[in-house]
């Protein structure tokens, strides 16, 4: 689902990177992967996922996607809020100094950056090169990653 949401352009998908990157988006799972399913008759269909990696002071959010046919329906906003709340519960059960949610976003995805800014994330000014060696696709335009973060309020 992650690869189809980001690497195919099915018309309805505004998260597609197919015009800027070719190749698979993900090869390995994150430390914890949350999945949203919908029950349709006798069959469950995965419609969203988000990965959480627990770092020293941060929860890194990645592997976040909504199946293309389910985008633009508010599912992403609700699922991101769910993942943030899930992280808060984890932080309460495992006393640490977790302070931030962080994520890395492609610099050319202005609409996506604005989406996260509306949800309280801010640009940190930290920039990393696109991870060509991570086997997550080859850029076909000049790309880098920008770090965004949000303070965890427990």
């Amino acid at each position: 689902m992650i690869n189809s949401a980001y690497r195919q352009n099915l018309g309805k998908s505004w998260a597609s990177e197919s015009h800027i990157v070719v190749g698979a988006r993900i090869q390995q799972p994150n430390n914890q992967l949350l999945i949203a399913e919908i029950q349709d008759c006798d069959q469950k269909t995965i419609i969203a996922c988000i990965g959480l990696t627990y770092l020293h002071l941060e929860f890194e959010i990645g592997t976040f996607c909504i199946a293309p046919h389910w985008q633009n329906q508010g599912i992403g906003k609700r699922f991101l809020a769910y993942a943030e709340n899930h992280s808060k519960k984890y932080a309460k059960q495992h006393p640490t100094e977790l302070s931030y949610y962080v994520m890395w976003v492609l610099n050319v995805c202005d609409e996506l950056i604005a989406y996260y800014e509306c949800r309280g994330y801010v640009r940190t000014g930290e920039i990393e090169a696109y991870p060509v060696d991570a086997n997550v696709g080859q850029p076909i335009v000049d790309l880098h990653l920008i770090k965004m973060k949000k303070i965890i309020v427990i």
Side-chain angles (χ1 to χ4, degrees):
M1 183 178 73
I2 294 164
N3 287 327
S4 70
Y6 283 101
R7 297 299 193 252
Q8 295 177 7
N9 189 358
L10 301 176
K12 193 174 180 181
S13 174
W14 62 270
S16 175
E17 299 167 351
S18 63
H19 62 292
I20 56 177
V21 181
V22 294
R25 178 73 156 41
I26 184 170
Q27 302 293 326
Q28 299 176 340
N30 286 5
N31 289 348
Q32 186 171 17
L33 187 65
L34 305 178
I35 295 172
E37 298 177 314
I38 188 164
Q39 181 77 36
D40 187 19
C41 297
D42 295 332
Q43 183 177 352
K44 287 185 179 180
T45 302
I46 297 173
I47 62 168
C49 68
I50 191 166
L52 300 172
T53 301
Y54 308 109
L55 306 172
H56 177 61
L57 296 175
E58 307 168 330
F59 282 107
E60 184 172 324
I61 295 175
T63 322
F64 180 27
C65 75
I66 309 301
H69 289 50
W70 290 93
Q71 292 180 12
N72 299 309
Q73 298 180 46
I75 294 168
K77 179 177 19 176
R78 291 192 306 269
F79 199 46
L80 179 59
Y82 174 82
E84 291 173 351
N85 286 328
H86 179 82
S87 299
K88 289 178 187 179
K89 291 176 187 175
Y90 177 91
K92 286 179 183 176
Q93 294 171 353
H94 303 88
T96 63
E97 295 184 20
L98 288 164
S99 303
Y100 300 99
Y101 304 109
V102 297
M103 62 177 62
W104 294 89
V105 183
L106 292 173
N107 64 302
V108 297
C109 296
D110 296 328
E111 188 175 355
L112 189 57
I113 293 167
Y115 172 85
Y116 291 129
E117 287 175 334
C118 286
R119 276 139 195 87
Y121 289 80
V122 296
R123 301 173 204 210
T124 66
E126 196 172 333
I127 297 172
E128 284 194 4
Y130 184 84
V132 175
D133 295 336
N135 199 21
V136 292
Q138 297 295 315
I140 54 179
V141 300
D142 185 31
L143 292 179
H144 59 271
L145 300 170
I146 64 168
K147 186 176 184 178
M148 300 186 77
K149 76 177 181 179
K150 178 180 179 177
I151 295 173
I152 296 174
V153 180
I154 296 180

